[in-house]
Amino acid sequence: MLSVSAQTLVAATVLVLLIACLLWLVFAFGLKLQPRASKGMAAANVLLASALLLSGLRGGLERPWLTVYAADLTGTAAFALLSLVPAWLEEGRPPWRWPLALCLLALLLMPGFVMGWPMRWHGTVLYCIQAPLLGLASWQAYRLVRSRTRPAFALALSFPLGALTLLLAARAVEPLLWPGNTPDLRSGSGFNVAWLWAGLVLGMVVNSVVAFLVLAQLVLRIRKLTLYDPLTEVLNRRAIGQAMEQAHARWRRGEPYALVLLDMDHFKALNDTLGHGAGDQALKALVGALKPCVRDDDALGRWGGEEFLILLCDTGLAGAALVAERMRANLEAQPLLWGPEQRRLTASFGIAEVLPEDSSPEAVLMRADQGLYQAKRQGRNLVQSRE
Ligand SMILES: Nc1nc2c(ncn2[C@@H]2O[C@H](COP(=O)(O)OP(=O)(O)OP(=O)(O)O)[C@@H](O)[C@H]2O)c(=O)[nH]1
């Protein structure tokens, strides 16, 4: 039977895992926060707790099928679920083939140990199956965070899962290097207390990392909603307004800037003839034509309706004219395809640079607006600055 300290550790770990499961259920059903990933985490916690409880019952029951084999399988299934969670967080398709293959491998191989294979290979085989599953979870978590932020942050977030993967891999090698450390699981003669501590830490680390990922996703989503235009995914009016204020503050310290204000030509006619769906598609196509012309430190935003504003850092009027002309030509070269219809898209551009008398960015914007007005009056599909 288990020693008292081992029993306490098993009970504490199971309690931690069940509390975590409860919290994930609240996330899934109460807060409706990443429901698929949260349900996956709740199930993974229940499976991990079951694996631990079954392991704790070894020797107490005379049927190793019900303890050793069942514990191996529930543990492996828990790690398989964990490897799917990052993809669910991303609302993408999880990489289910590898987890499924490894679960099947456990299903086929682990009975051998109940039937009499040498137990010193048990840990090696089990952890050779479980470590890649946790490694997959770690890699998926890295990719998820990396797609939204810097590599260093992604590395820091996925590091705990990576470290646990290495720990499991080390557990696979341990029985080969120190066979004396391996208790006979079928007799239940002993329990590796260090392993129990590792189980407790593993449960807490995995839950904390995934909870952090869920919250990070939530924060990024809120940030996106407050800063970006949902249709075109460029900065919204408020965010581009803030970027202008910051550029104006930098200009007071000596860094010039210029604005390009543009408005799609005859957009109402396009909406009226092809419908709003085509209008929306045209706005996306417009953004697609503008993006290659802006640098990383420039800012592109939707000023309203079919009007867009580009803030060009460290740029004067000549530079702005060059960029705007490139944008104009780019847009004109990519007609909108809408079913059988094909429409030439054009826009008119007004440009302005910041001048010493400008007390605020609104003054610069007003000149860009006057340039745009002139471009419209002179026949559209033109770049103009106020004369
Ligand atoms: N599809 C779509 N239409 C929009 C959106 N925002 C504004 N509009 C439409 O854009 C049209 C703007 O029309 P106008 O201001 O007359 O401009 P225009 O037809 O491009 O005329 P000019 O600028 O003089 O060439 C209106 O019909 C708005 O309903 C949007 O997000 N999607």
Side-chain angles (χ1 to χ4, degrees):
M1 289 301 288
L2 294 182
S3 69
V4 175
S5 64
Q7 278 177 10
T8 316
L9 263 174
V10 170
T13 312
V14 168
L15 195 70
V16 164
L17 295 173
L18 291 182
I19 290 172
C21 167
L22 215 68
L23 292 177
W24 286 114
L25 289 177
V26 172
F27 267 35
F29 294 102
L31 303 175
K32 305 252 184 295
L33 205 60
Q34 299 278 10
R36 271 209 300 176
S38 300
K39 282 181 221 164
M41 281 305 291
N45 275 294
V46 169
L47 287 171
L48 274 178
S50 315
L52 200 65
L53 270 177
L54 288 165
S55 300
L57 288 174
R58 298 170 334 203
L61 293 177
E62 283 305 307
R63 294 198 184 98
W65 284 100
L66 287 179
T67 52
V68 179
Y69 184 49
D72 292 347
L73 287 193
T74 43
T76 307
F79 286 114
L81 267 178
L82 282 178
S83 71
L84 304 180
V85 164
W88 282 328
L89 281 176
E90 214 177 5
E91 279 154 25
R93 275 171 63 85
W96 54 270
R97 282 198 182 89
W98 274 107
L100 185 68
L102 288 164
C103 282
L104 287 176
L105 202 64
L107 200 73
L108 292 174
L109 288 183
M110 299 326 282
F113 294 100
V114 182
M115 292 189 296
W117 287 1
M119 276 320 268
R120 69 192 178 90
W121 291 102
H122 175 265
T124 305
V125 174
L126 182 64
Y127 296 121
C128 275
I129 292 173
Q130 291 183 349
L133 287 170
L134 199 54
L136 187 61
S138 165
W139 168 242
Q140 293 285 331
Y142 173 81
R143 278 195 41 219
L144 169 69
V145 186
R146 178 67 194 92
S147 65
R148 288 172 168 74
T149 178
R150 281 167 301 194
F153 190 56
L155 213 61
L157 246 181
S158 54
F159 171 77
L161 292 180
L164 288 175
T165 306
L166 291 180
L167 216 74
L168 280 191
R171 291 276 304 158
V173 188
E174 188 204 0
L176 304 179
L177 298 179
W178 298 283
N181 281 358
T182 315
D184 186 346
L185 299 179
R186 283 168 305 190
S187 71
S189 56
F191 211 108
N192 191 329
V193 173
W195 185 87
L196 277 181
W197 275 111
L200 181 61
V201 172
L202 183 137
M204 292 201 292
V205 169
V206 166
N207 280 295
S208 314
V209 168
V210 181
F212 191 86
L213 284 177
V214 170
L215 292 180
Q217 289 276 96
L218 189 68
V219 169
L220 289 174
R221 196 167 291 176
I222 292 170
R223 209 175 99 89
K224 197 170 168 190
L225 283 176
T226 54
L227 293 182
Y228 292 90
D229 169 51
L231 176 68
T232 56
E233 297 188 344
V234 295
L235 295 176
N236 60 22
R237 186 183 177 114
R238 200 166 65 97
I240 187 84
Q242 278 172 0
M244 277 200 302
E245 295 289 345
Q246 286 161 5
H248 205 73
R250 282 199 303 275
W251 169 69
R252 291 204 176 94
R253 297 194 295 272
E255 190 184 307
Y257 72 92
L259 295 181
V260 176
L261 183 67
L262 65 103
D263 185 284
M264 194 100 116
D265 295 330
H266 304 301
F267 189 59
K268 188 171 175 338
L270 180 92
N271 262 334
D272 292 347
T273 51
L274 297 186
H276 268 70
D280 289 353
Q281 198 55 40
L283 292 175
K284 289 187 197 171
L286 167 67
V287 166
L290 301 180
K291 271 186 176 164
C293 309
V294 292
R295 292 171 302 190
D296 279 350
D297 48 357
D298 297 336
L300 163 61
R302 187 173 180 187
W303 193 242
E306 82 284 25
E307 228 177 28
F308 289 79
L309 182 62
I310 299 111
L311 164 74
L312 301 170
C313 298
D314 213 359
T315 307
L317 200 60
L322 213 71
V323 173
E325 182 51 36
R326 209 174 287 151
M327 289 172 164
R328 191 202 62 73
N330 224 7
L331 178 66
E332 195 181 24
Q334 297 171 23
L336 172 76
L337 301 174
W338 188 254
E341 302 277 345
Q342 181 171 327
R343 287 288 168 95
R344 178 169 165 257
L345 297 178
T346 62
S348 303
F349 296 73
I351 54 171
E353 66 177 341
V354 63
L355 295 175
E357 62 267 26
D358 291 331
S359 57
S360 70
E362 281 73 33
V364 193
L365 184 63
M366 196 186 290
R367 283 199 303 281
D369 198 26
Q370 288 163 352
L372 172 60
Y373 179 70
Q374 270 188 31
K376 289 276 182 191
R377 275 194 22 179
Q378 290 174 5
R380 299 179 173 82
N381 193 21
L382 286 172
V383 178
Q384 283 294 345
S385 59
R386 197 189 68 169
E387 278 157 15

